[in-house]
Structures are given as C-alpha cells and as structure tokens.
Amino acid sequence: MTPTTPEGPDRRTPHTGPEAGSGAGTGTGTPTPRRIALRVGRAISFVWLFALRFVQSNVVITVEILTPRDRTSPGIVELPLRCRSRAEIATFSSLINLTPGTLTLEVRRDPPTLWVHGTHTHSAEEFRHDLWELETRMLTAWRPVDEPLPPVPPSPRGNGTGEADRPGGVRESGKGDTP
C-alpha cells in the first residue's frame, strides 16, 4: 500500500528523494546528468577561451609582421602553478607553446612552476593573470566538478630591484632549479 500525504498518494521511491539528482549520498561515484552537463560546459568554455586567445595571438603576430613599427615588449615571467600531475603541467605548457608569441622556457615540478616568455608582455602581472585564467579554465575542465581549485599562488617578487617584474626583465634561475 502506498503511503498518503495531504496532497495525495506519495509516489516517491527510495531513489527519487531530494538527493537523487545530485549524486550526493549515493556512494557509487557515478556521474549524474547535472555533473555531466557541468563538465561538458566547462570543457566547452575552456576550448572557447583557448580558441579565442589563439586567434587573438595570431592577429597580433600577423599585424606585427606586416607593419614596419615594432610593438613588441618581450618579457619572461615566473608562473607558480596549481597543476598537480605531470599530465596537467605538460598540457598547460603545451597550450602556452601552441599560442603564438608565448613560449615555455623552463618547467619545475616541485613546486610546480613555469618560466614563460611572451613577445607582448607589457605588464608582468597582467601576463601572469592571463596565464592563470587559462590554467583555471583548463583545471576546471579536467578535474571533477565538486573538487575546489586551490587559490592562485602569490606572484613571485624579484630580488628587490624589480627587474623580474618589469617587461624584458629576465629572472635568473639558480643552477639547482632544473628538474
């Protein structure tokens, strides 16, 4: 016999309660339609952002080649990462290398850090912010929906002279920094 509520017969089954669509409390780890939709949305957002940056970089480099005026402002920045695995670090480094005008110069695994060269690095902080935004989108597309990302690491500071934070200022890495 079906239990009755003031609104009529109670047609809920044990699997249709308030937690059924959220994946909470199931203990099976199976993806729900909501989680799948979030992962697909995040992946599309990441691909869209990278494609947009790729096209923008190509336009900037093309204009630089076709015009007689030099608008480059090369610089190298140290970029602490939130990537944990080798696959995440390698993928992010490859994405940087695929984008015209940027190049990964060095990779350190412990702690995860990249040294990135940019041809149009007018502000070291802005360049880092753009790279961290790309890393954030990549990690949210790769990692599980309910896994929070750690905060963006603090920006590294130079040796007191400001050379590393100024466009064109090269940060020297120590001899023991190479993996």
Side-chain angles (χ1 to χ4, degrees):
M1 178 168 212
T2 306
T4 350
T5 62
E7 291 83 27
D10 186 6
R11 303 210 184 275
R12 288 184 296 166
T13 62
H15 301 289
T16 60
E19 297 176 352
S22 67
T26 60
T28 61
T30 57
T32 61
R34 179 184 162 274
R35 292 170 63 93
I36 292 170
L38 279 172
R39 291 289 297 265
V40 169
R42 289 176 173 184
I44 290 171
S45 172
F46 167 66
V47 169
W48 175 252
L49 174 72
F50 182 73
L52 181 66
R53 289 197 179 184
F54 183 78
V55 170
Q56 286 174 339
S57 296
N58 276 295
V59 168
V60 167
I61 296 297
T62 302
V63 167
E64 189 66 42
I65 291 169
L66 296 176
T67 58
R69 185 172 170 214
D70 183 17
R71 292 186 181 101
T72 60
S73 179
I76 297 172
V77 296
E78 180 180 353
L79 186 72
L81 300 176
R82 292 171 289 163
C83 297
R84 292 187 308 234
S85 69
R86 282 182 153 187
E88 289 175 346
I89 294 169
T91 301
F92 186 60
S93 178
S94 296
L95 290 170
I96 290 171
N97 290 335
L98 284 172
T99 308
T102 58
L103 178 68
T104 301
L105 299 175
E106 185 176 343
V107 178
R108 185 188 326 161
R109 287 194 53 217
D110 190 26
T113 306
L114 297 180
W115 279 264
V116 182
H117 176 272
T119 56
H120 293 83
T121 311
H122 300 289
S123 163
E125 285 304 312
E126 185 178 317
F127 187 50
R128 276 190 200 100
H129 176 73
D130 290 345
L131 292 170
W132 278 325
E133 182 184 358
L134 182 65
E135 180 194 26
T136 299
R137 296 280 182 99
M138 183 194 81
L139 292 176
T140 56
W142 273 47
R143 293 184 180 172
V145 172
D146 55 353
E147 183 177 332
L149 289 178
V152 173
S155 294
R157 295 292 167 213
N159 55 6
T161 63
E163 283 297 314
D165 291 334
R166 199 166 349 125
V170 178
R171 177 182 296 276
E172 300 255 332
S173 63
K175 301 247 185 247
D177 287 347
T178 54

